[in-house]
Amino acid sequence: MLNEVLFRLEKGITVRIDIAMLGYGKVGRALARLLLRKVDVLRDQYDLTFRVTGIATRSRGCAINPAGLDLDATLAAVEAGDPLDGLHQGDPLDDTIAFIKTCPADLIMEATWLNPRTGQPATDYARAALGAGRHFVTANKGPVAFAYRELSALARQNGVGFFFESTVMDGAPVLGIGREALLATTVRRIRGVLNSTTNYVLTRLEEGASFDEAVAGAREIGVVEADPSTDLEGWDAAVKIVVLANVIMGADLRPGDVDRTGITGITSAEARAVLQAGERIKLVCEAVCTEGAVRASVRPVRLPLSDPLSQVSQTSSAVTFETDTLHHLTMIEGNTDPTTTAYGMLVDMINIARGRYT
Amino acid sequence: MLNEVLFRLEKGITVRIDIAMLGYGKVGRALARLLLRKVDVLRDQYDLTFRVTGIATRSRGCAINPAGLDLDATLAAVEAGDPLDGLHQGDPLDDTIAFIKTCPADLIMEATWLNPRTGQPATDYARAALGAGRHFVTANKGPVAFAYRELSALARQNGVGFFFESTVMDGAPVLGIGREALLATTVRRIRGVLNSTTNYVLTRLEEGASFDEAVAGAREIGVVEADPSTDLEGWDAAVKIVVLANVIMGADLRPGDVDRTGITGITSAEARAVLQAGERIKLVCEAVCTEGAVRASVRPVRLPLSDPLSQVSQTSSAVTFETDTLHHLTMIEGNTDPTTTAYGMLVDMINIARGRYT
């Protein structure tokens, strides 16, 4: 943006951030590629340079190099199925917590596997990183859904940022809107269609596929978790609505508090009949504030076609905020991929670098 | 938001802003009421108190009181059709520019009448305010569409904020997203349905009303300008797409540069035939970046029902961003009113108070 460029020209002080990355799966590698692609833009528009001083993976070992790893070499190694250990300098490390404490980094960017029932191990990673005075950016819903108040207090105590834009709707600035735009307002209700797998399955049921065919299709396009019940029974959606309720409505819910019904058992005949009646079935997450208390639910709902949430198909997602000052504000994200998620992490990194966390 | 509350408790330094208001029509008065309604929230969540030290109107005179005007009294006076001059302290003032220079204020909040062909008189007001070192918040598209680069440079030179969230899609954070979330990205295309009158008229044509009946209906619900050609010929939409192109895409367009076609001449029969074919006619604004150059247009377009922009009805509005990192990001605002517009100005005020303009 133009005003950012001019801002730089007046300030002219370049900052370097040393980054440690946790997780080097699809999202982690997309982040590495995005960082490489945006080197010039970060330097020219935001006075920001970076080194990646360490990467810890689940199955490919880890590497620390205080002078900065060669990101291209790390990508090549992991994609060839090789471990990263050959790039590591220093003593061997026991585990990821040891990596967090050892790796010389200002910022830890985390995109590891999540157990949606416990929020682990990412919540422990966040605790270790923030407790050690490192900024923490995560694409992982766990730490936010299970420990938002604790972790944000820890971040403040240590004077660092704790940002997590990509946890809900990938790179779409749903949480940034809460932080920067839904100010001095009472958010009365948040409604969302936030889970890709169920959205894909429901669309396929409308098209006439059987439930099993639809789930198989979701697996083919790679949106479904290893354990599909996480999506189909509404756990993923429950974790996301808890993130929104806790961060934007000031609630203190846990995923287990969500009144949750999945989509298992919905038939193609039922989905088609609803469509013929001018409506669509969507797995709707909702958080409602009534008399100061926030209640959250996830359940299949018949939505009229005039509701923007009904129009969300396949892997798109959407959320509607209702506040005392903005009656209906809807955000829709279409065509997501790992780069979209990585982009939310990049925006978090820039916003931390320019002090938006204070 | 919770994190704002906790932030306050740690900082604990209350700031007072003295505000001068230009324009006291529907939006100006909605802003006054919103400020009154949010006194406690502003103080408790943002350490922010305020006084309104002056109000300048087009037809009800003006009033300055360095100790703070009684806002309830100003609302009562104007709504009874009385001038504000009885509340004025000090020498009589010649005009609004004199008011801007005289009124003791940190921040000027402007919501005056706009000539969409010239951007005046608001552009001169912005120049005078920013030149005198006052923060400037406007709901008026004119200054941004006709003088964005000049005015933002002037604001930077004087170390003050120039914010204008309410100029496009009222209080929806379209420009806040550009400032806080579309970072280090190339915005390739912006498409919007941004004019309420044409949107309302097209919806009525689909329902079978004649063009004249539809325009009369728009006048009845109060969305149409005194001169309806401003809306129907696409001038209002052109000014809005120029604001988005200049601020978010770094363009330097003027409304006269927009390739503009209005909706005059579209018949009910045509609108209904398109609807029967599974599409809808919308007045679409578009800005496209090709090889570094941004071109903008406003024209009636047939949109498939799967396009989120096609679902915008009546007085709702919507915009879709396409970037190199977020493929499709759409924001829809429903059910707007003068308070929605005033809310965008309030958010600008808070963001200026917490230094977001630097």
Side-chain angles (χ1 to χ4, degrees):
Chain A
M1 277 175 49
L2 182 70
N3 54 0
E4 295 297 335
V5 179
L6 293 169
F7 170 50
R8 180 190 73 84
L9 292 174
E10 285 176 14
K11 298 255 291 189
I13 301 160
T14 299
V15 170
R16 192 190 69 212
I17 297 191
D18 283 350
I19 301 168
M21 293 175 65
L22 306 184
Y24 215 45
K26 277 185 203 168
V27 171
R29 296 199 304 276
L31 177 61
R33 286 207 178 78
L34 187 61
L35 284 166
L36 289 171
R37 177 149 70 90
K38 295 294 184 183
V39 165
D40 293 348
V41 173
L42 290 171
R43 188 193 57 231
D44 295 346
Q45 291 188 10
Y46 302 96
D47 282 326
L48 201 56
T49 63
F50 66 87
R51 299 186 301 196
V52 174
T53 51
I55 299 173
T57 74
R58 184 155 56 133
S59 56
R60 302 284 168 208
C62 71
I64 291 177
N65 182 339
L69 291 163
D70 176 345
L71 275 186
D72 285 313
T74 64
L75 288 165
V78 167
E79 286 172 4
D82 295 331
L84 289 178
D85 305 296
L87 300 166
H88 181 62
Q89 299 192 356
D91 298 330
L93 295 166
D94 286 340
D95 57 23
T96 303
I97 297 290
F99 172 89
I100 292 168
K101 290 182 176 166
T102 307
C103 186
D106 308 299
L107 164 67
I108 293 181
M109 301 185 87
E110 192 263 336
T112 66
W113 171 85
L114 169 71
N115 180 335
R117 269 86 162 173
T118 66
Q120 291 294 10
T123 304
D124 283 343
Y125 299 162
R127 245 177 227 130
L130 295 168
R134 276 85 185 268
H135 300 291
F136 194 73
V137 166
T138 181
N140 198 315
K141 299 173 284 292
V144 192
F146 287 87
Y148 172 62
R149 288 195 183 192
E150 174 204 336
L151 294 172
S152 50
L154 190 59
R156 275 190 304 277
Q157 280 160 25
N158 287 281
V160 293
F162 170 45
F163 273 19
F164 40 82
E165 187 59 85
S166 292
T167 56
V168 182
M169 283 177 68
D170 309 284
V174 180
L175 295 156
I177 276 189
R179 198 174 59 243
E180 305 295 339
L182 296 180
L183 307 179
T185 194
T186 303
V187 179
R188 292 176 171 153
R189 192 155 82 130
I190 300 177
R191 289 163 72 235
V193 174
L194 297 173
N195 176 265
S196 289
T197 299
T198 50
N199 211 26
Y200 178 88
V201 167
L202 290 168
T203 306
R204 292 296 309 277
L205 293 179
E206 288 171 352
E207 292 164 2
S210 73
F211 196 87
D212 288 346
E213 286 166 353
V215 173
R219 195 170 274 127
E220 264 168 42
I221 65 164
V223 296
V224 80
E225 299 284 334
D227 172 8
S229 70
T230 296
D231 290 321
L232 301 175
E233 294 174 9
W235 268 105
D236 175 75
V239 174
K240 285 173 175 163
I241 194 68
V242 164
V243 170
L244 293 177
N246 289 359
V247 177
I248 294 180
M249 300 173 86
D252 193 21
L253 300 174
R254 296 293 174 278
D257 300 327
V258 176
D259 181 5
R260 182 177 47 79
T261 306
I263 65 163
T264 312
I266 296 177
T267 64
S268 179
E270 192 178 346
R272 290 165 77 90
V274 170
L275 192 60
Q276 281 202 322
E279 298 183 322
R280 299 185 78 184
I281 304 176
K282 293 290 170 191
L283 186 67
V284 173
C285 325
E286 187 172 62
V288 183
C289 185
T290 318
E291 293 172 7
V294 178
R295 285 170 302 113
S297 63
V298 171
R299 62 171 70 98
V301 174
R302 292 172 64 139
L303 296 178
L305 297 181
S306 58
D307 187 324
L309 297 188
S310 78
Q311 300 299 323
V312 175
S313 290
Q314 305 278 2
T315 61
S316 297
S317 52
V319 67
T320 298
F321 300 99
E322 296 177 24
T323 85
D324 70 326
T325 49
L326 290 176
H327 306 297
H328 286 90
L329 179 68
T330 299
M331 187 176 286
I332 303 174
E333 185 182 29
N335 303 347
T336 60
D337 59 30
T339 300
T340 331
T341 306
Y343 177 63
M345 302 179 77
L346 182 76
V347 170
D348 282 348
M349 178 182 109
I350 296 171
N351 276 327
I352 283 177
R354 55 185 193 163
R356 287 292 191 263
Y357 60 94
T358 57
Chain B
M1 278 174 50
L2 182 71
N3 54 358
E4 294 300 334
V5 179
L6 293 170
F7 171 50
R8 178 190 74 83
L9 292 174
E10 285 175 16
K11 298 257 291 193
I13 300 160
T14 299
V15 170
R16 192 189 70 212
I17 297 190
D18 284 349
I19 300 167
M21 295 176 65
L22 306 184
Y24 215 45
K26 277 185 202 167
V27 171
R29 295 200 303 276
L31 177 60
R33 286 207 178 79
L34 187 61
L35 284 166
L36 288 171
R37 177 148 72 90
K38 295 294 183 182
V39 164
D40 293 348
V41 173
L42 291 171
R43 188 193 56 231
D44 296 346
Q45 291 189 10
Y46 301 95
D47 282 325
L48 201 56
T49 62
F50 66 87
R51 299 186 301 196
V52 174
T53 50
I55 299 172
T57 74
R58 184 157 55 133
S59 56
R60 303 284 168 207
C62 71
I64 290 177
N65 181 340
L69 291 163
D70 176 346
L71 274 185
D72 285 313
T74 64
L75 288 164
V78 166
E79 286 173 3
D82 296 332
L84 289 178
D85 304 296
L87 300 167
H88 180 62
Q89 299 192 356
D91 298 329
L93 295 165
D94 286 340
D95 55 23
T96 303
I97 297 290
F99 171 90
I100 291 168
K101 292 183 175 165
T102 307
C103 186
D106 308 299
L107 165 66
I108 293 181
M109 301 185 88
E110 192 263 336
T112 65
W113 171 86
L114 169 71
N115 181 335
R117 269 86 163 172
T118 66
Q120 291 294 10
T123 304
D124 283 343
Y125 299 162
R127 246 177 227 130
L130 295 167
R134 277 85 185 268
H135 299 293
F136 193 74
V137 166
T138 181
N140 199 314
K141 298 175 284 293
V144 193
F146 287 87
Y148 172 63
R149 289 194 182 192
E150 174 203 337
L151 295 172
S152 48
L154 190 59
R156 276 190 304 278
Q157 281 160 24
N158 288 280
V160 293
F162 170 45
F163 272 20
F164 39 83
E165 186 60 84
S166 292
T167 56
V168 182
M169 284 178 68
D170 309 283
V174 180
L175 295 157
I177 275 187
R179 196 174 60 242
E180 304 295 340
L182 297 180
L183 307 180
T185 194
T186 303
V187 179
R188 292 174 172 155
R189 192 155 82 130
I190 300 177
R191 290 163 72 233
V193 174
L194 297 173
N195 176 265
S196 290
T197 299
T198 50
N199 211 27
Y200 178 89
V201 167
L202 290 168
T203 306
R204 291 296 309 278
L205 293 179
E206 288 172 351
E207 293 165 0
S210 72
F211 196 87
D212 289 347
E213 285 167 352
V215 173
R219 196 170 273 130
E220 264 168 41
I221 65 163
V223 296
V224 78
E225 298 285 334
D227 172 8
S229 71
T230 295
D231 291 321
L232 301 175
E233 293 174 9
W235 269 106
D236 175 76
V239 173
K240 285 173 175 163
I241 194 68
V242 165
V243 169
L244 293 177
N246 289 358
V247 177
I248 293 180
M249 301 173 83
D252 193 22
L253 301 174
R254 297 294 175 276
D257 300 326
V258 177
D259 181 5
R260 182 177 48 78
T261 306
I263 65 162
T264 313
I266 295 177
T267 63
S268 178
E270 193 177 346
R272 290 165 78 90
V274 170
L275 192 61
Q276 281 202 321
E279 298 184 322
R280 298 183 78 185
I281 304 175
K282 293 289 171 191
L283 186 69
V284 173
C285 326
E286 187 173 60
V288 184
C289 185
T290 318
E291 293 171 8
V294 178
R295 285 169 303 112
S297 63
V298 171
R299 61 170 71 98
V301 175
R302 291 172 65 140
L303 297 178
L305 296 181
S306 58
D307 186 324
L309 297 188
S310 78
Q311 300 298 323
V312 175
S313 290
Q314 303 278 2
T315 61
S316 297
S317 53
V319 68
T320 298
F321 300 98
E322 295 177 26
T323 85
D324 71 326
T325 49
L326 290 177
H327 306 297
H328 285 91
L329 179 68
T330 299
M331 187 176 285
I332 303 175
E333 185 183 29
N335 303 346
T336 61
D337 58 31
T339 299
T340 331
T341 307
Y343 177 63
M345 302 178 78
L346 182 76
V347 170
D348 282 347
M349 178 182 111
I350 295 171
N351 277 327
I352 284 177
R354 55 185 194 164
R356 287 293 190 264
Y357 59 95
T358 58

